[in-house]
Amino acid sequence: MADKVILLVEDNPDDEALTLRALKKNNIQNDVVIARDGAEALDYLFGAGAYAGRDVSALPSVTLLDLKLPKIDGLEVLKRIRADERTRFLPVVILTSSKEEQDLINGYKLGANSYIRKPVDFSQFIDAVRQLGLYWLLLNEPAPMENR
Amino acid sequence: MRPFRDLSIKHKLTWLGILTSTSGLILACTAFVAYDVRNFYSDIVDSATTQAKIIGYNSAATILFIDPHTAGETLGALRTDPDVIAAGIYTRDGKLFASYTSDPREPSSVSLPRSFTEPRDGQRFHERYLELWRRIGFEQKDIGAILILTSLQTMRVRLFQYIGIALLALLISTLGSIAVSLWFQRRISGPILHLAETTNRVSRNKDFSLRARAESGDEIGQLVGTFNAMLARIQEQNQELEQARAELEQRVIDRTAQLEAANKELEAFSYSVSHDLRAPLRSIDGFSQAVLEDYHDKLGPDGQADLQRVRAATQRMGQLIDDMLDLSRVTRAKLLREPIDLSALARSVGAEIQKAESERNVEFRVAEEMVAQADPRLLRIVLENLLRNAWKFTGKHPKAKIEFGVQQDNGRPVYFVRDDGAGFDMTYANKLFGAFQRLHAMTDFSGTGVGLATVQRIISRHGGQVWAQGEVEKGATFYFTL
């Protein structure tokens, strides 16, 4: 499983560093691809822009998606992921500050697999990332390729 | 036939004119006719009396000298009066002495009696003739009598002519009075009918711009004037009302727009707080933790303690932000009333609280069958806050009692949450429900001071009231209505 990457869509460098630290603390060795805005995330997934020529059939095992992003926001990224045949089964976990009801509803409506609110307490965050990694990287069986 | 009072004014006036003039005329005609009839009768008696006296005087000698022939000639003078049917002179003992008949060939049904013995002068009216007699005297002695029968035919004809003329006059004047009263009626009732028609149209069409025509300067004209003035006033008031309503509507639209804008702003603000204000806190906490882990030894015990304080403060601020957002969410949330079982809700909240600290000795008492019309989600927040407060403020007592019940006040239910915990000083009761207001030191009881503010917002959104009573170290009771 270690060959599978995690796509982290996050514009805040602090949050990026803390997320990476939390992954490391939990001994999650997977490569982490970082996209700093929505456009970059879509480029990676669909092999465009800086990621032109990438083998797009190699999907990340999970995408951690922030909602508030420059250029293309998280919900729009999610919408495009679900609209494309190649990525419609990609596991997407929304990882955000907001617990606004509207964000939760829209997130699930657009097909998010999970919604996690980043806690202020870093210890709690580490715990959340541990459970997240355990579930999506170890327990979860992804959809078979030929059905995608 | 309709009773007089239900007739239209037009008909009443016509009838009034006709009846007044006709009854006057009838009275007058009757009086004239009666007077004339009386005159006719007295005239005929007078003329017959005169004839009887003259003939009686002239024939006294013929009676004395027993000369009926001359007496007959004297009677013949009556021929000049065609109305005289017959006349006769009688002797003192009542025997017919001489007679006269106007037309001997045509013997009338009326004829002279063979004997006549009335002792005094007199007359008697018969259906068709007057019978009049006078005693004939000579030198104070009664020597006989004269009887004259006068036909009433001529007088009758004249009387009927007279009555006919009177009736004709009555008919003509009645027609005249009808014409006059119709004319007057039109003058009087016309404007009234017009006024009535106008009022009808005004009330039917709600059209206050209509006006009645004023045609005269009398009371009806004044009435029309007053009515028009009233209409003008109503129209004016309607316009003012309409204008006020339009202004009010515009104001409501403006206010609603302002309110919507304010709400949007508030939402945007909350959203921004939720996202942006928490992000730096996560950094502070996260990197403090990182420093604590990575540079544990270099920091020493004091540095570690300081950083722990930084983390605690950060987390507290995170909690404050969350509570503030909850408070604003409570204000913005839609209120959906439905019947809810408060007893069951309170027991479920109480069980949750107890599970977290099951080692505490707290008696939870919830009254049975409390049902209310309220928003279940919001009421759960109320009960969570009040019961958690009760739980928190009894925390320093080894044994505690928390009660949720209801009492009646003027027929409306007042719910209460009562505890026997730390209580509070009533002097500061007014500060209890203010946001971020706390009556206890942080070291004694934790909390952000938003709970009761949230409770108050929810209760006031339900149109209810919330208040509290307490005494230091004796406990507190929070009351609310819905």
Side-chain angles (χ1 to χ4, degrees):
Chain A
M1 293 306 276
D3 53 338
K4 283 271 190 135
V5 301
I6 297 170
L7 175 61
L8 174 64
V9 191
E10 176 63 75
D11 66 316
N12 183 336
D14 282 5
D15 275 345
E16 177 195 321
L18 290 171
T19 308
L20 292 177
R21 185 181 174 91
L23 288 169
K24 206 173 98 193
K25 284 277 160 194
N26 286 304
N27 291 317
I28 297 170
Q29 307 290 336
N30 300 51
D31 282 339
V32 178
V33 176
I34 293 155
R36 292 196 171 80
D37 59 53
E40 211 179 313
L42 292 173
D43 281 352
Y44 175 80
L45 288 172
F46 300 125
Y51 294 100
R54 194 186 77 83
D55 175 14
V56 294
S57 68
L59 286 173
S61 25
V62 66
T63 299
L64 305 178
L65 181 65
D66 194 8
L67 286 186
K68 231 185 151 191
L69 293 170
K71 295 181 188 170
I72 302 170
D73 75 16
L75 290 175
E76 182 60 33
V77 171
L78 179 58
K79 200 191 273 177
R80 297 204 195 166
I81 287 173
R82 288 293 175 249
D84 196 290
E85 270 304 302
R86 294 166 292 179
T87 52
R88 53 189 279 234
F89 292 123
L90 173 69
V92 175
V93 174
I94 293 175
L95 194 62
T96 180
S97 291
S98 162
K99 67 165 183 177
E100 282 292 310
E101 213 167 77
Q102 212 49 49
D103 282 343
L104 275 155
I105 290 171
N106 286 334
Y108 281 117
K109 214 186 257 174
L110 293 174
N113 297 79
S114 185
Y115 190 109
I116 292 168
R117 190 181 179 230
K118 294 177 201 164
V120 169
D121 187 338
F122 188 60
S123 315
Q124 284 178 24
F125 185 60
I126 289 177
D127 198 43
V129 169
R130 185 178 61 77
Q131 294 190 33
L132 203 145
L134 184 69
Y135 183 79
W136 289 108
L137 301 175
L138 291 176
L139 292 174
N140 185 50
E141 284 292 344
M145 281 301 279
E146 47 271 29
N147 280 2
R148 282 179 185 165
Chain B
M1 205 178 141
R2 284 194 297 170
F4 184 72
R5 65 161 192 278
D6 289 343
L7 289 177
S8 74
I9 285 189
K10 184 172 148 181
H11 289 115
K12 275 179 187 163
L13 282 172
T14 312
W15 277 111
L16 179 77
I18 293 169
L19 287 178
T20 316
S21 57
T22 315
S23 61
L25 277 167
I26 288 171
L27 267 176
C29 284
T30 313
F32 280 127
V33 169
Y35 177 73
D36 277 341
V37 166
R38 205 187 130 268
N39 273 357
F40 275 130
Y41 281 90
S42 71
D43 279 358
I44 211 161
V45 168
D46 284 354
S47 96
T49 304
T50 311
Q51 286 168 344
K53 275 185 176 166
I54 293 167
I55 291 167
Y57 182 78
N58 289 340
S59 54
T62 62
I63 298 171
L64 287 175
F65 293 106
I66 315 172
D67 179 4
H69 180 74
T70 311
E73 278 178 0
T74 310
L75 280 175
L78 287 171
R79 208 176 302 278
T80 53
D81 184 350
D83 283 344
V84 175
I85 304 166
I89 296 170
Y90 295 82
T91 56
R92 200 169 162 231
D93 51 3
K95 286 202 177 74
L96 183 63
F97 177 69
S99 68
Y100 158 78
T101 305
S102 60
D103 192 354
R105 289 159 301 177
E106 198 181 304
S108 65
S109 54
V110 189
S111 56
L112 288 166
R114 301 310 307 171
S115 68
F116 187 79
T117 54
E118 290 284 346
R120 296 200 201 299
D121 294 352
Q123 65 262 359
R124 199 179 287 133
F125 276 98
H126 294 270
E127 197 198 334
R128 296 173 59 185
Y129 60 95
L130 168 69
E131 185 185 16
L132 181 134
W133 62 94
R134 291 288 179 268
R135 302 305 303 182
I136 302 170
F138 185 78
E139 292 178 349
Q140 311 306 319
K141 277 196 298 197
D142 181 20
I143 56 164
I146 175 165
L147 176 68
I148 296 178
L149 305 180
T150 312
S151 167
L152 296 175
Q153 208 52 41
T154 312
M155 191 210 72
R156 281 257 164 83
V157 170
R158 277 177 58 196
L159 193 61
F160 283 128
Q161 278 173 353
Y162 194 86
I163 290 173
I165 288 166
L167 284 176
L168 194 68
L170 188 64
L171 186 69
I172 290 168
S173 47
T174 303
L175 289 176
S177 76
I178 289 175
V180 169
S181 62
L182 278 175
W183 183 80
F184 264 113
Q185 172 265 108
R186 228 166 266 140
R187 283 295 142 113
I188 296 169
S189 71
I192 294 178
L193 293 178
H194 170 67
L195 186 62
E197 161 68 13
T198 311
T199 47
N200 252 342
R201 265 168 48 212
V202 167
S203 77
R204 206 171 44 232
N205 306 333
K206 306 271 174 297
D207 181 1
F208 296 103
S209 64
L210 289 170
R211 291 291 178 272
R213 265 191 329 275
E215 287 166 343
S216 54
D218 58 5
E219 288 90 335
I220 294 169
Q222 287 170 19
L223 190 64
V224 169
T226 314
F227 178 67
N228 283 344
M230 204 172 75
L231 283 179
R233 183 98 188 86
I234 289 173
Q235 201 181 1
E236 203 176 293
Q237 281 175 346
N238 274 357
Q239 271 167 4
E240 280 167 19
L241 273 175
E242 179 56 36
Q243 208 176 328
R245 199 189 60 78
E247 270 171 30
L248 217 64
E249 205 162 275
Q250 188 54 47
R251 214 181 292 170
V252 169
I253 291 169
D254 291 350
R255 287 288 143 81
T256 310
Q258 285 172 8
L259 211 66
E260 268 166 13
N263 251 349
K264 262 212 185 98
E265 231 165 78
L266 188 69
E267 237 159 84
F269 174 73
S270 299
Y271 195 81
S272 154
V273 165
S274 161
H275 272 94
D276 302 340
L277 232 53
R278 289 174 87 259
L281 289 180
R282 278 201 314 278
S283 298
I284 296 168
D285 190 76
F287 289 112
S288 300
Q289 173 72 9
V291 171
L292 270 172
E293 283 170 8
D294 297 351
Y295 304 97
H296 187 264
D297 297 337
K298 287 187 185 164
L299 281 171
D302 287 351
Q304 287 168 24
D306 287 352
L307 268 185
Q308 285 299 356
R309 276 172 192 267
V310 170
R311 286 198 66 203
T314 311
Q315 282 162 31
R316 195 173 139 63
M317 178 135 181
Q319 190 59 49
L320 274 169
I321 289 170
D322 282 355
D323 285 354
M324 210 169 76
L325 287 175
D326 284 345
L327 184 63
S328 90
R329 201 165 291 137
V330 157
T331 315
R332 286 178 290 143
K334 217 176 220 156
L335 188 82
L336 298 165
R337 276 181 193 264
E338 53 182 82
I340 49 172
D341 184 348
L342 288 179
S343 304
L345 187 60
R347 270 195 291 271
S348 125
V349 172
E352 233 170 72
I353 298 170
Q354 268 179 316
K355 209 165 74 183
E357 281 178 88
S358 52
E359 71 285 355
R360 275 185 57 186
N361 182 5
V362 177
E363 185 193 345
F364 240 115
R365 274 218 294 220
V366 177
E368 297 296 324
E369 289 175 1
M370 288 186 285
V371 180
Q373 280 279 340
D375 186 302
R377 255 177 50 178
L378 294 178
L379 250 283
R380 190 182 182 91
I381 296 175
V382 168
L383 288 181
E384 265 178 3
N385 272 300
L386 293 179
L387 292 173
R388 272 186 203 284
N389 271 358
W391 182 268
K392 183 162 68 182
F393 290 105
T394 51
K396 293 207 177 352
H397 292 191
K399 198 163 165 267
K401 198 167 92 181
I402 295 170
E403 191 187 351
F404 176 46
V406 63
Q407 60 193 41
Q408 296 294 323
D409 178 39
N410 287 331
R412 102 197 142 138
V414 177
Y415 302 95
F416 62 87
V417 173
R418 180 174 292 139
D419 68 65
D420 55 359
F424 61 90
D425 185 345
M426 280 300 275
T427 321
Y428 308 111
N430 60 332
K431 288 192 162 182
L432 276 173
F433 298 99
F436 305 109
Q437 291 279 359
R438 291 173 43 82
L439 295 188
H440 298 274
M442 273 303 282
T443 44
D444 288 339
F445 298 102
S446 61
T448 53
V450 176
L452 288 179
T454 308
V455 167
Q456 194 184 37
R457 290 233 182 136
I458 293 174
I459 296 301
S460 79
R461 287 204 59 198
H462 279 82
Q465 279 175 307
V466 59
W467 67 98
Q469 267 178 349
E471 207 180 319
V472 175
E473 282 312 312
K474 291 262 175 73
T477 309
F478 286 85
Y479 300 92
F480 65 90
T481 59
L482 289 171

